[in-house]
Structure formats: C-alpha cells, structure tokens
Amino acid sequence: MELNILYAIQSIHNPVLDRVMVTVFNTLVGSMGQLWIVVGLVLLIIPKTRKCGAAVLLSFAVSFLIGNEFLKDMIARPRPCAVDSTIPLIVKKSTSFSCPSVHTYLAFSSAMAIFHYHKKAGIGVFVFAAMVGFSRMYFFVHYPTDVLFGVVLGIATAFVVCMLLDKIYGCMKRKSH
C-alpha cells in the first residue's frame, strides 16, 4: 500500500516542480538538515529568541542522534528506491536505511521548538516541515510511515527538550533572585 502512495506521488513530477523541490527541500535544507542549525544559531544570537535557539539546536542534536545514529540501524528498513530501482531519482541515493525519515524528524523537532516559544512563526515552520516530509516521498527515498514516524518523533523530542529547558531556565531565574 505504501508503494502505491509513492507511485501516485511520482505521477505529479514535472521539470519545474522537480527543480523547486530539489532546490528548496534538498539543497536549502541540506543533506543533514543544516538549515536547522543555521536557524538555531541565528535565534541563539538574538537575546529575545535565545531560549528558542537553544531549544532548536538541542532538539536538532537529540533528534539526529536518536534518528540517524540509533533508530535507522535498529529498524534497518530498506528505502523504497532500493526496493524498486525502476523509479528515476532526482536526488542522490542515500546509503543509510529508510526509517525514520531524519530530514522530517529534524524539521518537525525544529518546528516544535519554534512553535513552543513563538506560536505564529511556529505555524509557518510546521508548514515548511510538512513540505520537507512530503519531499522525502516525492524523491522516492522514504515511505509514508517513515515520514509519519519522523513527524511524531520530532514533535515528542522537541516537546521534552523544551520542557527541560523551561525547567532549567526557571531554576536559573530563581537562583539569580
């Protein structure tokens, strides 16, 4: 069933959309989600958004470690492009396993961290994160459940990170008074 969803998504490919998807969701986001590191650093530099920046960077680090260094090898699910090599890829084929989609995991953990501290901006970042997840299926490198797992993990990871940061900042504030 998941392959049927991916085949349906493949039917919307065209040169213009391919170019946009590759440029925005592969090149801009980066092969390891470097966009989120830049966003986190920019937020960290600005005093008003410092806690949010710390949350984005910490969520990114935890998400990357859990998703890329632990879950992918533990689950060891082959990518759709390894199962069906007849679909032409428009991005470089990864040698890692498919589940979870770490691009999606990183995008949603960053979106949740931003949403936790800045609701309006967070909604926009959630929309962008959803497009990152869609792009992984468009590129035929992840199954829908890989993406869904990345969404759930990203939101949960950032929620925990934000709660811990809020407690730490609260303790630091109390000690300084």
Side-chain angles (χ1 to χ4, degrees), residues 125-166:
V125 181
F126 269 127
V127 170
F128 184 79
M131 290 304 299
V132 169
F134 177 78
S135 76
R136 308 317 295 162
M137 295 180 289
Y138 184 87
F139 296 145
F140 204 69
V141 294
H142 285 289
Y143 294 98
T145 51
D146 301 341
V147 171
L148 182 60
F149 195 33
V151 169
V152 171
L153 287 171
I155 290 171
T157 299
F159 180 80
V160 170
V161 165
C162 290
M163 293 298 109
L164 291 172
L165 276 177
D166 288 346

Side-chain angles (χ1 to χ4, degrees), residues 12 23-25 42 44 54 63 65 69-70 80-81 84 105-106 113 118 122 127 132 134 136 143 147 154 164 177:
I12 67 170
T23 302
V24 175
F25 299 106
V42 168
L44 194 62
S63 298
L65 288 172
E69 303 302 318
F70 178 68
C81 55
D84 181 352
Y105 191 175
L106 297 172
H118 305 281
V127 170
V132 169
F134 177 78
R136 308 317 295 162
Y143 294 98
V147 171
L164 291 172
H177 285 116

Side-chain angles (χ1 to χ4, degrees), residues 28-148:
L28 175 67
V29 172
S31 60
M32 282 296 144
Q34 293 91 329
L35 169 70
W36 306 115
I37 296 171
V38 172
V39 167
L41 289 172
V42 168
L43 292 170
L44 194 62
I45 291 168
I46 303 166
K48 184 178 173 184
T49 59
R50 188 161 287 145
K51 192 185 332 182
C52 181
V56 168
L57 293 171
L58 191 54
S59 294
F60 179 95
V62 172
S63 298
F64 184 83
L65 288 172
I66 291 171
N68 214 51
E69 303 302 318
F70 178 68
L71 288 175
K72 274 194 183 285
D73 289 335
M74 185 179 87
I75 297 169
R77 183 182 198 184
R79 290 179 180 270
C81 55
V83 172
D84 181 352
S85 60
T86 64
I87 302 294
L89 297 183
I90 59 173
V91 295
K92 184 180 173 200
K93 183 178 178 182
S94 177
T95 57
S96 68
F97 290 113
S98 188
C99 190
S101 165
V102 174
H103 278 83
T104 307
Y105 191 175
L106 297 172
F108 273 87
S109 69
S110 298
M112 181 62 193
I114 293 168
F115 180 79
H116 182 77
Y117 296 105
H118 305 281
K119 300 292 187 249
K120 285 184 183 177
I123 290 169
V125 181
F126 269 127
V127 170
F128 184 79
M131 290 304 299
V132 169
F134 177 78
S135 76
R136 308 317 295 162
M137 295 180 289
Y138 184 87
F139 296 145
F140 204 69
V141 294
H142 285 289
Y143 294 98
T145 51
D146 301 341
V147 171
L148 182 60

Side-chain angles (χ1 to χ4, degrees), residues 9-22 90 138:
I9 292 170
Q10 298 313 297
S11 71
I12 67 170
H13 275 266
N14 66 67
V16 173
L17 187 55
D18 286 357
R19 181 65 136 170
V20 169
M21 294 296 276
V22 168
I90 59 173
Y138 184 87

